Amino acid sequence: MMPHVIVESGPPHPVFSRSPASGERAGVWGLWRRLKKLPPVRLPGDGEASASAVRQGPAEAPSFDRSAAVFSPCEGEKGFVRLAVVGVVCVATWTLNAVADAADVVSTTPAGNTVSIPLYGRIADIPFWTDVAYHGPLRLQENARSGRVRVLARFKRGQRGAYTTVLHSGGDEVYRQFEISKRGLGDPPGGKAVVFVHGLGRGPGIWTLFKQAARERGYVPYEFDYASNKLTIAEIADRLGRAVGTLGAHERIDFVAHSMGGIVVRAWSEKNDDPRVRRTVMLGTPNKGSQVAHALQDWGPFELTGPAGRELADLEGGPAVTLPPPDGEFAIVAGSLPAFGGMNPYAPGDDDGVVAVSSTPLAGATDYLVVRDVLHHRLVDDGRVIDATFRFLADGRLRAEGEPTPIPGDEGS
């Protein structure tokens, strides 16, 4: 068995340690009734012995029976709280990203010319923009739903940081306008680049703290944005390849990927051999497939995850299982909730609320680290994770002290 090394941390956050108050259920009764319709989950293996071996609970176990081969994920008060927390986090994150993207789309150009696209079209296109090229502050995107093309530019705004605005939007003529804008800006910056790749249903806004840390360490950050619920993983990897191909001024490129983003990097690496790529860090990536997606794939709303979600649900022949490791050295950071022994009843064993710890290892990893008391979507905000990530990019190790924990080929597969 591969050792799971837990970094230092303080006492568990109250949300992970206290029992829910009896009145909390009534406030979200409507959501509870919908969650009750979720299908039961069949754990891997046959019979009671294999199921109980897969999932070992804490001393204070949830009210549903972990030893049964089939159980309902919503049995008991804790089962409801677990699913409700995960659902609320996902919905809130998507809503905030959509609002932020909408603010960018409806911005005016520096010359004061508004982009004349119907409001419905702007809103419907929000989740489907995908990066295909970069040049300094410019970003060329294609829309996987409508086929439109746009150029975004990021400008500094004094002490208030920066803002993104639409320079051009339309059809194929935008490609020519992008080239003209590139010539006007001159050569892009060189040096070290780090490309951030978000996961399913997320957006580039999750990388705010990581970008700040990258700049402090001398990196030029790029957040690869893509239509995660419209394209297959292979199609996303193709767009990533086009975008990375425009980073010719950089002599070194590293990847930091969250969740499904790690599978996208692996798919890109299979078809590309770029000697500038040195190291990759995967955060909460389901390298053996997503047991949660597998359990929910026949539930109607799961279709919103698109073809990539269905690929993650394939635990036998899906990309997460069949793709080779990324080129160069790579490390894996997994989140853990030991106070619950795992928060998501669909994920066997310990998990971060979305991805099981047991699904994150990948053969050939240079280093592996499990960070306790951190939710899946908070991996990108956790200071311990950020420090470990850039330590690996610089020195090839996740920990400040102690030896790395590599994953040999026979243990990660």
Side-chain angles (χ1 to χ4, degrees):
M1 281 291 292
M2 177 193 59
H4 287 173
V5 181
I6 310 297
V7 301
E8 302 84 356
S9 66
H13 191 278
V15 74
F16 303 138
S17 57
R18 67 169 180 262
S19 297
S22 60
E24 289 180 352
R25 176 188 292 187
V28 283
W29 178 244
L31 177 60
W32 169 242
R33 289 192 303 176
R34 295 178 66 86
L35 289 173
K36 287 287 284 184
K37 297 178 181 179
L38 288 170
V41 180
R42 184 172 297 277
L43 292 173
D46 296 320
E48 294 185 2
S50 60
S52 60
V54 169
R55 182 141 192 160
Q56 297 293 332
E60 184 182 358
S63 56
F64 56 76
D65 184 5
R66 291 176 182 267
S67 64
V70 179
F71 65 89
S72 174
C74 294
E75 287 298 326
E77 195 168 349
K78 284 190 176 180
F80 159 69
V81 172
R82 294 180 182 190
L83 287 175
V85 168
V86 174
V88 169
V89 168
C90 292
V91 171
T93 301
W94 186 91
T95 302
L96 290 175
N97 287 336
V99 171
D101 286 346
D104 291 343
V105 173
V106 301
S107 296
T108 58
T109 66
N113 300 318
T114 58
V115 180
S116 56
I117 304 168
L119 178 61
Y120 172 78
R122 292 198 299 263
I123 295 175
D125 280 351
I126 286 173
F128 303 122
W129 289 107
T130 301
D131 295 344
V132 293
Y134 304 113
H135 186 90
L138 301 181
R139 178 193 304 260
L140 179 65
Q141 295 186 322
E142 296 175 347
N143 195 279
R145 186 191 72 90
S146 64
R148 293 194 298 112
V149 187
R150 72 178 182 181
V151 177
L152 300 183
R154 187 173 179 83
F155 297 96
K156 292 184 178 180
R157 182 182 285 171
Q159 300 299 321
R160 299 175 58 188
Y163 70 99
T164 303
T165 188
V166 178
L167 288 183
H168 310 289
S169 181
D172 291 344
E173 72 279 0
V174 175
Y175 295 109
R176 183 177 63 85
Q177 293 168 335
F178 179 68
E179 294 299 322
I180 294 174
S181 299
K182 284 170 53 178
R183 290 196 293 269
L185 288 175
D187 295 332
K192 301 181 297 182
V194 56
V195 179
F196 298 107
V197 186
H198 64 77
L200 181 65
R202 305 302 300 277
I206 69 171
W207 298 111
T208 300
L209 296 182
F210 258 100
K211 286 194 303 177
Q212 179 181 341
R215 293 190 180 99
E216 292 172 351
R217 292 164 171 81
Y219 289 88
V220 180
Y222 296 89
E223 321 107 288
F224 175 67
D225 192 13
Y226 62 93
S228 63
N229 59 346
K230 186 69 173 178
L231 304 172
T232 66
I233 290 176
E235 291 170 336
I236 298 167
D238 175 71
R239 271 64 165 188
L240 176 61
R242 293 170 60 187
V244 171
T246 63
L247 303 180
H250 297 283
E251 66 270 13
R252 171 177 173 173
I253 300 174
D254 294 320
F255 286 107
V256 177
H258 177 245
S259 195
M260 191 183 78
I263 311 299
V264 172
V265 173
R266 289 171 57 191
W268 171 86
S269 184
E270 182 186 37
K271 300 292 180 64
N272 295 271
D273 183 16
D274 193 328
R276 299 175 299 163
V277 176
R278 295 281 301 279
R279 292 184 174 123
T280 299
V281 179
M282 292 184 278
L283 312 176
T285 295
N287 285 306
K288 297 180 180 178
S290 172
Q291 293 92 340
V292 175
H294 180 75
L296 298 178
Q297 61 183 327
D298 295 328
W299 188 43
F302 183 80
E303 290 299 316
L304 296 174
T305 64
R310 292 190 291 274
E311 289 177 313
L312 288 180
D314 188 348
L315 303 182
E316 297 182 357
V321 181
T322 59
L323 285 169
D327 290 336
E329 296 182 344
F330 69 96
I332 299 168
V333 178
S336 167
L337 300 171
F340 277 157
M343 184 178 182
N344 195 316
Y346 287 110
D350 199 2
D351 59 67
D352 60 11
V354 176
V355 174
V357 173
S358 61
S359 182
T360 58
L362 182 63
T366 304
D367 205 352
Y368 181 83
L369 185 66
V370 177
V371 182
R372 60 180 295 154
D373 300 333
V374 57
L375 285 165
H376 184 72
H377 296 316
R378 302 297 294 180
L379 282 166
V380 295
D381 299 326
D382 191 281
R384 299 166 297 173
V385 176
I386 294 174
D387 289 342
T389 296
F390 284 103
R391 187 179 297 116
F392 180 82
L393 295 184
D395 304 325
R397 55 190 301 125
L398 291 170
R399 301 163 189 78
E401 299 178 357
E403 295 299 318
T405 305
I407 303 178
D410 58 342
E411 294 187 16
S413 57

